[in-house]
Amino acid sequence: MAVFLTRLASIAAISLTLLESSLARPTTLQYAKVLQRAEQVKEEYDYVIVGAGTAGLTVADRLSEDGKYSVLVIEYCHLISDEVILAGGGRSFSDPGIRYNITSIPQEDMANRRQQVLIGCCVGGSSAINGMVMVRGTAIEYDGWAELGGPGSTWNWDGILPYFKKAIHFNPPNEDLAEAFNITWDPNAWGQEAKTHIHASFPTYQNPALIPMYKAMSKMPGMVIPKDGAGGKSGLFWFPTSMDPVKFWRSYSRTGHYDNITRDNYEVITLHKVQKILFDGTTATGVQFATRDGNSTVQTVKARKEVIISAGTVHTPQILQLSGIGPKALLDEANIPVLLNIPGVGQNFQDHAYLSVGYSWSNGTPPVPVVEANGDRSTVAGPNLGAWIGLPVITPEWEDIVSRYEAQDPAQFLPANSDPTIVAGYAAFQKLHVKLLRDRDTNLLWYPLQGMPGGIVMSMHVVSHGTINIDPANPNAEPIVDYRALSNPVDLDIMAANIEFMRKYMNSSDFAPYGPRETFPGTSVTGEALREWIRQNLIPTNFHPIATAAKKPLEMGGVVGEDLRVHGTERLSVVDGSIMPLLPGANTQSTVYMLAEKAVDLIKARQ
Ligand SMILES: Cc1cc2nc3c(=O)[nH]c(=O)nc-3n(C[C@H](O)[C@H](O)[C@H](O)COP(=O)(O)OP(=O)(O)OC[C@H]3O[C@@H](n4cnc5c(N)ncnc54)[C@H](O)[C@@H]3O)c2cc1C
Ligand SMILES: *[C@@H]1O[C@H](CO)[C@@H](O)[C@H](O)[C@H]1NC(C)=O
Ligand SMILES: *[C@@H]1O[C@H](CO)[C@@H](O)[C@H](O)[C@H]1NC(C)=O
Ligand SMILES: *[C@@H]1O[C@H](CO)[C@@H](O)[C@H](O)[C@H]1NC(C)=O
Ligand SMILES: *[C@@H]1O[C@H](CO)[C@@H](O)[C@H](O)[C@H]1NC(C)=O
Ligand SMILES: *[C@@H]1O[C@H](CO)[C@@H](O)[C@H](O)[C@H]1NC(C)=O
């Protein structure tokens, strides 16, 4: 428990002023009709969506928007109108009432520590509890999605940018604030559609203590300052928060795609668990669901057009596996009849990883400039300034790390007996990743700037791939989450380089007069000792799990095709974080909104 609390403290640190802020008190929201009893569910809908989370509500809203199609969303968790959610308060990270209670298995290369797996459990899913950072990855990273998808893929930067613009409504900072803090943005990369209610906005306040930190970072060798990160480049930049531009409340899938929408053709039932997908041959016809504890009579509902699984990276592979779609050996062990042997279901699992490095000033603090324009502190819900950096800028030894990775046998650090398609997929990932590592426009490190020294270093790309599978002994219980963190030693090399980069930054001449001192682990901890410290302290997740139903060809260990339909099936697709084949070097929510918007066009196009 103590360990977990320490971790929560680090998480809270990411959100900086989050805990201090007490945003304007939200009032009760209106919301669409919510069903709670299975008897209220009709026999048939055009679309049945599993999970009322970030992607699920986006897809449900857009598919029901013109009144042509009926949509049912089935959600395991409850609809909770809690002002703490809207205020972005720290409680949302730790309250068992709004998150799942899942812990990873012990991580061998992390001194056998386990990790709490945080995902949201309420209508809105993880967007209801996240840190509200609104960023996207770089162009070359998404071009990698297309490369892994194969020739003709439209999931490259040019093919997805219109959906980022559609998914998120950008609201610029107020002029005084922008001027005082040099906040710039790229208007060509953002959208402002009137019908889009997922907002990216700025608080009215920034901490002036950020200014000396910004200056020192801007002088780091190789550092660039793009207008912002939305245009697909790495560097030092300001970024918005997912919040309402007027009320400064959390803007999430519920406020954007559910609240205030009253349509007869859009229904949500809460507190029910989808147990499996129903098939006629390999054509999905509906789903089977029951109350959470399974005590009610099992119900079924039919989908005339399509079943869409949006249960998130942790539960989507479970639902597929329980439906007989997954690695054959695992299904056999669990006594589940195999409908389709798709080895990639639950594999390829990736997440961002981070560490806190302690610093203090031993000789005063850098002077904080007086800033005229300063609004209301309580409008700040999270960090708005960060450095997103490629490996060639992080360390002069970048080529050594890349060559070491390039020389690896693709199967060497995968689970023993991995299916040949998983190995082939990893080989393609490795080849792509070598290219990404050599490119300064890949976000390898995210360092959120704060008004104080030290802080958090985040590895935004990992080469160790994990698994999320059903427990064959208890398939309906929570799945077994295995990050396999640091199983590939190159992840240790990269994290060590990230820490050394922060040390160089803290050693900037601008800071010298104030005597920056590393309190933990301490600058004498280097080389193998630093690697050991990383094993003891790494948090293998920044709560951005992806890839357990990756969009890749079947023969490359993929689960869904370019149109997000599950390989080998009809009328069954996956739309959520699990389809990302490769991490964007950015927190994942805007990418999830983007891919959900693109999915809607793909789904509509096949009707
Ligand atoms: C603590 C935390 C902090 C984060 N911070 C940030 C951040 O600052 N910025 C950022 O960009 N991203 C952040 N993220 C990540 C981001 O929120 C997620 O990537 C994104 O919300 C995932 O969306 P999703 O649709 O894939 O899954 P979710 O939004 O998690 O939705 C899945 C839904 O499916 C439901 N479900 C699951 N199984 C079943 C079943 N069997 N039957 C019925 N329903 C089911 C779940 O209850 C849930 O509602 C954070 C995430 C967390 C958890
Ligand atoms: C979480 O699960 C563990 C067992 O896995 C259990 O001991 C604990 O009580 C649960 N916590 C909550 C809040 O349900
Ligand atoms: C803003 O940019 C100008 C010119 O590049 C620079 O002189 C100034 O210090 C910057 N201000 C802040 C707050 O970073
Ligand atoms: C819902 O409608 C009410 C009344 O018009 C409004 O005050 C509120 O802001 C709306 N909520 C959302 C999330 O749009
Ligand atoms: C069945 O499950 C529901 C939802 O979890 C619960 O509210 C109800 O009390 C349960 N009924 C019985 C008889 O256990
Ligand atoms: C810090 O700077 C000093 C002086 O410029 C230099 O001698 C030292 O090697 C630097 N240390 C690190 C860790 O970069």
Side-chain angles (χ1 to χ4, degrees), residues 289-323:
F289 66 104
T291 48
R292 288 170 66 156
D293 55 8
N295 66 3
S296 73
T297 318
V298 164
Q299 303 284 326
T300 61
V301 58
K302 286 189 202 145
R304 267 185 296 264
K305 293 193 178 294
E306 212 163 300
V307 173
I308 298 161
I309 310 179
S310 298
T313 299
V314 176
H315 293 107
T316 286
Q318 176 178 41
I319 294 166
L320 287 170
Q321 290 172 357
L322 288 173
S323 309

Side-chain angles (χ1 to χ4, degrees), residues 68-384:
K68 253 165 77 184
Y69 306 116
S70 59
V71 174
L72 173 72
V73 187
I74 305 177
E75 169 55 48
Y76 177 74
C77 300
H78 54 170
L79 183 132
I80 169 170
S81 288
D82 188 322
E83 56 187 45
V84 177
I85 291 178
L86 283 177
R91 190 195 110 183
S92 55
F93 286 141
S94 52
D95 184 345
I98 47 179
R99 64 166 168 82
Y100 283 86
N101 181 18
I102 305 175
T103 305
S104 79
I105 59 168
Q107 299 293 290
E108 207 176 315
D109 298 296
M110 260 176 45
N112 280 322
R113 289 176 298 121
R114 294 170 185 263
Q115 172 62 40
Q116 188 83 24
V117 180
L118 288 185
I119 40 176
C121 189
C122 57
V123 173
S126 296
S127 72
I129 73 165
N130 72 19
M132 296 162 70
V133 168
M134 198 58 129
V135 288
R136 55 183 85 151
T138 66
I140 183 178
E141 294 168 339
Y142 297 107
D143 286 344
W145 284 25
E147 197 171 317
L148 293 177
S153 174
T154 61
W155 292 87
N156 58 352
W157 175 251
D158 290 341
I160 62 169
L161 186 57
Y163 293 101
F164 272 120
K165 292 186 185 178
K166 179 171 188 194
I168 293 151
H169 188 126
F170 180 74
N171 308 282
N174 72 46
E175 279 176 28
D176 293 354
L177 188 81
E179 198 172 320
F181 289 89
N182 284 350
I183 303 177
T184 56
W185 61 94
D186 182 351
N188 297 323
W190 289 103
Q192 296 189 309
E193 283 190 27
K195 272 168 75 182
T196 296
H197 304 291
I198 299 293
H199 288 280
S201 315
F202 288 86
T204 62
Y205 173 89
Q206 290 294 334
N207 181 357
L210 284 165
I211 291 173
M213 315 306 286
Y214 180 96
K215 280 200 177 132
M217 184 58 84
S218 70
K219 292 181 204 162
M220 293 298 287
M223 186 60 56
V224 291
I225 304 184
K227 278 191 189 143
D228 70 5
K233 296 282 184 200
S234 297
L236 171 64
F237 54 83
W238 298 87
F239 54 86
T241 302
S242 46
M243 66 185 180
D244 182 283
V246 178
K247 296 180 174 135
F248 305 104
W249 299 346
R250 176 187 296 274
S251 177
Y252 69 118
S253 68
R254 199 188 132 185
T255 56
H257 293 294
Y258 179 70
D259 283 333
N260 285 7
I261 298 172
T262 42
R263 287 178 202 142
D264 288 342
N265 61 330
Y266 179 2
E267 291 182 340
V268 175
I269 178 167
T270 55
L271 297 169
H272 282 73
K273 180 178 185 174
V274 170
Q275 297 172 328
K276 61 177 183 183
I277 312 300
L278 302 170
F279 288 93
D280 176 2
T282 51
T283 301
T285 55
V287 308
Q288 173 182 313
F289 66 104
T291 48
R292 288 170 66 156
D293 55 8
N295 66 3
S296 73
T297 318
V298 164
Q299 303 284 326
T300 61
V301 58
K302 286 189 202 145
R304 267 185 296 264
K305 293 193 178 294
E306 212 163 300
V307 173
I308 298 161
I309 310 179
S310 298
T313 299
V314 176
H315 293 107
T316 286
Q318 176 178 41
I319 294 166
L320 287 170
Q321 290 172 357
L322 288 173
S323 309
I325 299 178
K328 183 177 182 309
L330 175 72
L331 301 184
D332 286 347
E333 200 187 337
N335 282 318
I336 295 171
V338 178
L339 179 68
L340 286 166
N341 174 21
I342 301 190
V345 176
Q347 323 308 301
N348 302 309
F349 172 39
Q350 300 152 54
D351 201 335
H352 298 138
Y354 76 95
L355 268 171
S356 267
V357 179
Y359 267 87
S360 63
W361 304 121
S362 53
N363 186 26
T365 55
V368 175
V370 176
V371 171
E372 295 292 331
N374 241 332
D376 180 356
R377 244 182 123 82
S378 73
T379 60
V380 179
N384 290 97

